[in-house]
Amino acid sequence: FTRLSSEAKALELIKQGQRIFDRLERLPMPTVCQIHGFCLGGGLELALACRYRVAEHSPSTRLGLPEVRLGIHPGFGGSMRLTRLIGAPAAMGMILTGRTIDPRAAKRMGLVSHAVPERQLHRAARALIEQPLPRPRARGLRAMSNHALVRPILGYVFRRSLRQKARQTHYPAPYAQVDVWQSHGDNPREMLYAEAKSVAQLITGQTAQNLIRCFFLQETLKGLGKGSDRSTRHVHVIGAGVMGGDIAAWCAFKGLRVSLEDREAQTIAPAIKRAHALFKRRLKKPRLIQAAMDRLMPDPGGQGAASADIIIEAIFEDLEAKQAVFKRMEAITRTDTLLATNTSSIPLENIGEVLKQPGRLVGLHFFNPVAKMQLVEVVKGRKTSSKAIAHAHAFTRQIDRLPLPVKSSPGFLVNRILMPYLLEAVEAYAAGIPAEEIDAAALDFGMPLGPIELADTVGLDICLSVARILSAHLKLTVPNVLEQRVGSNKLGRKTGEGFYVWKDGKIANKNKSIQKTINVDLQDRLILRMLNEAMACLRQGVVKNEDLVDAGMVFGTGFAPFRGGPMHYLEHIGLAKIKARLNELAQRYDDRFKPDRRFTHQARKKPS
């Protein structure tokens, strides 16, 4: 993907792949694909070129066409064959979202002929050769979904659904897939050519190249978990609030034994209730739900700490309280137990002052909501041992999260870069710009949530707390309007009012009459403050390189993945242009936009 020099070269390679799959499909004898493990993308397109498919019924077997996540869509005949096999609604439901399905779901929709245990997989495949069934294909209403008279109606439905999730200017691939199917859905030959031409255009574009870059960034973070042979079996979490309770639930969901400590049983109960809702939503089957619940043990007395492999502290952001927790834990835990804090802003050196062995202390900073956010900042203090860091990386991968190594410093990486962005949004609000206009500017850039809505969602009290801590170190100005909102107990979604009014978890007073013309000046104010802080983080060595900044912001905040990350975007626009724009904003507003010194240093090293 990354080495394709032209659209013409891409088209030829895709057509070559199509020719191979066509030869397989035209073989005169029955062909069967046995599927176990992952069968995704080109793998599933290969399977679709066979006459039959049988899949091993196992939790490790998944089928899907996730190409949209890389900025393209199936190009080896996948969309043509899948829509003919199971009908357009089911096929597009997989292709346009990139979701994967298990073997039983695949059997129900007709994607595979059999979903059987491993011991029966070969027997099922052999039976389809010895006693062939009619060639599988969509029938009845499913087949009618590909009819020329139906496709325009379904195409409208598909596009309307897409617009609710992604903008065509940001993510063109799913829209292009709908166009290909709607124009050629009843003509296999024409659809194959249209598939190839569309993918060739997409794959050489900026969106696909940047999403592929994000994929490799993700693989880099996954590789960090291979530096330790430590396997965690028991996690002890201290603090059953939203973060602590959800960290405990996620660890139990991923198969670990978890003890959850708080002052008393009644403060742990809400966390157990949320955990049950997570297990029910994700695991579905009562037996699996109960097994996960059995792994999560309320522990108001804290007896589980003595046998734990990892202690995770997730109490409120107070230095003395955290120090008291770790002083107690050091006295009762094994010497090889990892001590981890979920602090979002307090340097580890301060917390570890009370420890006899500060080398055991690491930061494991999860993001809310824990079950959705992939990133965990693994924080190394000046005295943290390399063994402890390796253990923390391995644990993070064990629970299927992405470890980002960061240096202990105020705000670490993600919160430090995000806070100026949020504060600039509040400054704009205080100056009279409507919240909806501020959020629209960020959404137009590609952020998953506007900064005002994000602040309300996180909680204005939490934003204020972090802003106060960072302001002491980074010379940030905390707007009075934020102080006033918190002082009036208008904390955002959790209290029903912040900058917005909330009802049933949704914004109730959003002004939809706000002009749709994007305020470019406002957008620059928001985004450039992030870019400027990212440059400062690199200069101060918070992370080792630009790739880690990009990975942290993409997977920790959802920073416009189609732009490849803040540093990649900065390089794409040009250091000189960004610096000039920051100077212009600094003259118009104040020194909060003053370009970081790294701009000058980097420009000498690498002219833009």
Side-chain angles (χ1 to χ4, degrees), residues 223-239:
L224 295 175
K226 298 177 180 178
S228 172
D229 56 0
R230 286 293 301 272
S231 178
T232 300
R233 297 181 298 276
H234 178 192
V235 179
H236 183 74
V237 180
I238 303 172

Side-chain angles (χ1 to χ4, degrees), residues 66-86:
E67 284 90 341
V68 292
R69 297 180 182 179
L70 296 179
I72 58 175
H73 58 71
F76 292 150
S79 63
M80 180 272 288
R81 293 188 175 96
L82 191 61
T83 49
R84 291 171 67 204
L85 180 66
I86 63 175

Side-chain angles (χ1 to χ4, degrees), residues 173-340:
Y175 294 90
Q177 175 67 89
V178 175
D179 292 341
V180 167
W181 168 79
Q182 186 174 323
S183 300
H184 309 287
D186 55 0
N187 189 317
R189 288 295 100 195
E190 288 184 5
M191 190 165 174
L192 275 177
Y193 179 73
E195 259 193 29
K197 189 173 181 181
S198 176
V199 173
Q201 291 172 343
L202 291 166
I203 206 169
T204 52
Q206 278 292 321
T207 295
Q209 292 297 315
N210 287 339
L211 289 176
I212 292 164
R213 168 180 164 76
C214 289
F215 170 79
F216 284 120
L217 291 176
Q218 185 180 49
E219 293 301 300
T220 297
L221 296 188
K222 286 181 178 179
L224 295 175
K226 298 177 180 178
S228 172
D229 56 0
R230 286 293 301 272
S231 178
T232 300
R233 297 181 298 276
H234 178 192
V235 179
H236 183 74
V237 180
I238 303 172
V242 172
M243 286 304 296
D246 289 359
I247 291 169
W250 184 256
C251 291
F253 171 68
K254 299 309 292 185
L256 302 182
R257 185 160 53 93
V258 183
S259 46
L260 178 58
E261 177 185 344
D262 213 308
R263 290 187 296 263
E264 49 193 22
Q266 65 188 38
T267 58
I268 301 176
I272 301 299
K273 184 178 179 181
R274 290 197 312 275
H276 185 266
L278 171 68
F279 301 154
K280 188 176 180 181
R281 186 171 65 251
R282 292 291 192 98
L283 298 173
K284 307 277 191 307
K285 296 181 180 179
R287 174 177 57 83
L288 298 178
I289 296 168
Q290 187 57 53
M293 291 298 293
D294 290 343
R295 291 193 293 269
L296 179 58
M297 299 166 286
D299 186 15
Q303 288 89 350
S307 61
D309 300 303
I310 292 182
I311 306 292
I312 300 178
E313 167 273 312
I315 65 172
F316 51 94
E317 290 288 275
D318 180 87
L319 176 59
E320 291 184 1
K322 289 179 185 292
Q323 286 179 331
V325 165
F326 284 109
K327 191 172 183 180
R328 176 169 62 91
M329 288 296 108
E330 186 179 41
I332 64 175
T333 55
R334 304 190 314 260
T335 56
D336 65 342
T337 298
L338 185 67
L339 303 179

Side-chain angles (χ1 to χ4, degrees), residues 297-593:
M297 299 166 286
D299 186 15
Q303 288 89 350
S307 61
D309 300 303
I310 292 182
I311 306 292
I312 300 178
E313 167 273 312
I315 65 172
F316 51 94
E317 290 288 275
D318 180 87
L319 176 59
E320 291 184 1
K322 289 179 185 292
Q323 286 179 331
V325 165
F326 284 109
K327 191 172 183 180
R328 176 169 62 91
M329 288 296 108
E330 186 179 41
I332 64 175
T333 55
R334 304 190 314 260
T335 56
D336 65 342
T337 298
L338 185 67
L339 303 179
T341 174
N342 184 53
T343 182
S344 59
S345 54
I346 302 175
L348 263 65
E349 289 75 16
N350 297 349
I351 298 173
E353 286 174 352
V354 298
L355 296 179
K356 296 175 182 177
Q357 294 180 302
R360 294 170 61 187
L361 180 66
V362 301
L364 284 176
H365 180 217
F366 290 77
F367 294 87
N368 192 26
V370 174
K372 292 184 178 179
M373 300 301 290
Q374 290 181 279
L375 194 79
V376 175
E377 287 181 314
V378 178
V379 187
K380 185 180 189 301
R382 284 194 295 271
K383 296 183 178 180
T384 305
S385 71
S386 57
K387 185 177 180 181
I389 288 295
H391 187 181
H393 284 161
F395 164 72
T396 305
R397 287 302 303 137
Q398 191 175 341
I399 60 171
D400 196 27
R401 287 293 173 257
L402 300 174
L404 179 76
V406 301
K407 184 178 77 173
S408 177
S409 59
F412 312 130
L413 180 81
V414 174
N415 277 353
R416 176 171 169 179
I417 295 176
L418 196 62
M419 189 50 63
Y421 163 76
L422 294 178
L423 292 180
E424 190 61 34
V426 177
E427 291 276 9
Y429 181 88
I433 300 177
E436 295 86 351
E437 186 176 336
I438 297 167
D439 283 349
L443 293 171
D444 178 75
F445 179 80
M447 300 301 288
L449 210 62
I452 299 295
E453 184 177 350
L454 176 62
D456 265 8
T457 302
V458 170
L460 300 189
D461 54 336
I462 295 173
C463 291
L464 179 59
S465 175
V466 175
R468 283 172 174 167
I469 293 171
L470 295 183
S471 65
H473 300 275
L474 306 178
K475 299 180 181 179
L476 296 175
T477 300
V478 182
N480 289 332
V481 67
L482 184 58
E483 301 266 9
Q484 292 166 0
R485 283 288 196 281
V486 174
S488 302
N489 200 40
K490 296 178 179 179
L491 308 182
R493 185 170 66 178
K494 59 187 172 185
T495 59
E497 185 177 355
F499 291 109
Y500 289 111
V501 174
W502 295 78
K503 186 176 181 181
D504 299 327
K506 296 182 179 180
I507 297 173
N509 68 329
K510 184 170 283 190
N511 185 352
K512 297 181 180 178
S513 64
I514 293 292
Q515 289 184 352
K516 293 187 177 181
T517 303
I518 298 302
N519 185 332
V520 176
D521 183 75
L522 173 61
Q523 188 177 83
D524 283 353
R525 287 171 58 187
L526 296 172
I527 303 305
L528 265 57
R529 283 202 68 181
M530 272 199 287
L531 299 183
N532 203 28
E533 200 61 46
M535 290 289 270
C537 287
L538 276 171
R539 176 173 54 81
Q540 295 171 10
V542 176
V543 291
K544 287 185 178 180
N545 55 47
E546 288 89 345
D547 284 353
L548 291 180
V549 173
D550 286 345
M553 294 306 291
V554 168
F555 300 114
T557 72
F559 180 97
F562 67 93
R563 297 189 187 276
M567 300 311 299
H568 187 73
Y569 173 72
L570 195 155
E571 291 285 348
H572 174 69
I573 298 299
L575 291 172
K577 287 183 179 179
I578 297 293
K579 182 182 178 183
R581 181 65 173 139
L582 281 166
N583 279 322
E584 182 184 333
L585 291 171
Q587 290 176 1
R588 192 185 312 173
Y589 297 101
D590 59 37
D591 279 355
R592 68 182 187 268
F593 290 103

